[in-house]
Amino acid sequence: MARSSTATVFVALLRGVNVGGNNIIKMSSLKTSFEKMGFADVSTYINSGNILFKSKERDARKLETKVEGMLSKEYKLGCKVVVRSFSEMASLVENLPKRWNSDQNWKYNVMFLRHSIDSKNVLETLGHKPEIEKVVYYPG
């Protein structure tokens, strides 16, 4: 995909970084690494391994590969990365089931899929418990 002259806002979700005391990376260090890769307006969200940034590259798969390469080289981590654009995230939020948050006894979660497995068919592999869990698919 061709580069655009206008930067797009993305979020990178780093799987398994700073979770349960494993794969610890200082967010300030991660921010610096993203800036060195040429990304703009980089910011991190708490100690979560989630990073907001702008890039002229619009292909999320290329960005995932680039970030995964950096994590491997600089931090010796082989973790997977999911990158979503602001518009993809906004679409997801707008299309959440309307009944979510209507019952405080329920817990609601969102799972982000890598582009390579983003398909409704993934629901068949989750092994959820229908008596206590309801799974809904939306692209992304």
Side-chain angles (χ1 to χ4, degrees):
M1 185 174 269
R3 286 180 163 252
S4 168
S5 60
T6 304
T8 301
V9 177
F10 289 96
V11 61
L13 309 169
L14 283 56
R15 176 136 171 85
V17 171
N18 295 346
V19 175
N22 297 310
N23 300 327
I24 303 300
I25 301 175
K26 289 182 180 180
M27 293 291 93
S28 59
S29 178
L30 197 54
K31 181 179 188 286
T32 299
S33 295
F34 268 68
E35 290 168 342
K36 286 181 184 175
M37 287 190 293
F39 300 132
D41 297 331
V42 179
S43 62
T44 60
Y45 178 71
I46 58 176
N47 201 29
S48 65
N50 297 331
I51 300 97
L52 296 166
F53 64 98
K54 288 183 180 177
S55 175
K56 290 184 180 180
E57 174 61 63
R58 298 181 65 119
D59 186 332
R61 290 182 184 163
K62 287 181 181 178
L63 294 170
E64 288 169 347
T65 300
K66 186 174 183 175
V67 173
E68 287 172 355
M70 176 275 295
L71 291 170
S72 176
K73 182 178 178 183
E74 292 186 29
Y75 300 99
K76 310 297 185 238
L77 292 178
C79 68
K80 296 295 183 185
V81 176
V82 173
V83 173
R84 290 288 184 265
S85 68
F86 178 85
S87 61
E88 287 174 314
M89 295 298 277
S91 178
L92 175 69
V93 170
E94 290 170 8
N95 286 284
L96 288 172
K98 301 301 179 216
R99 67 186 173 280
W100 276 30
N101 289 327
S102 62
D103 186 340
Q104 297 303 314
N105 293 317
W106 281 86
K107 181 177 180 182
Y108 301 90
N109 296 295
V110 175
M111 181 185 316
F112 295 94
L113 302 172
R114 289 176 59 90
H115 292 93
S116 59
I117 64 166
D118 189 356
S119 164
K120 191 171 188 169
N121 295 336
V122 81
L123 296 181
E124 298 167 14
T125 68
L126 293 178
H128 73 284
K129 300 173 186 169
E131 64 278 8
I132 61 170
E133 297 174 316
K134 179 166 175 106
V135 180
V136 177
Y137 174 78
Y138 182 77

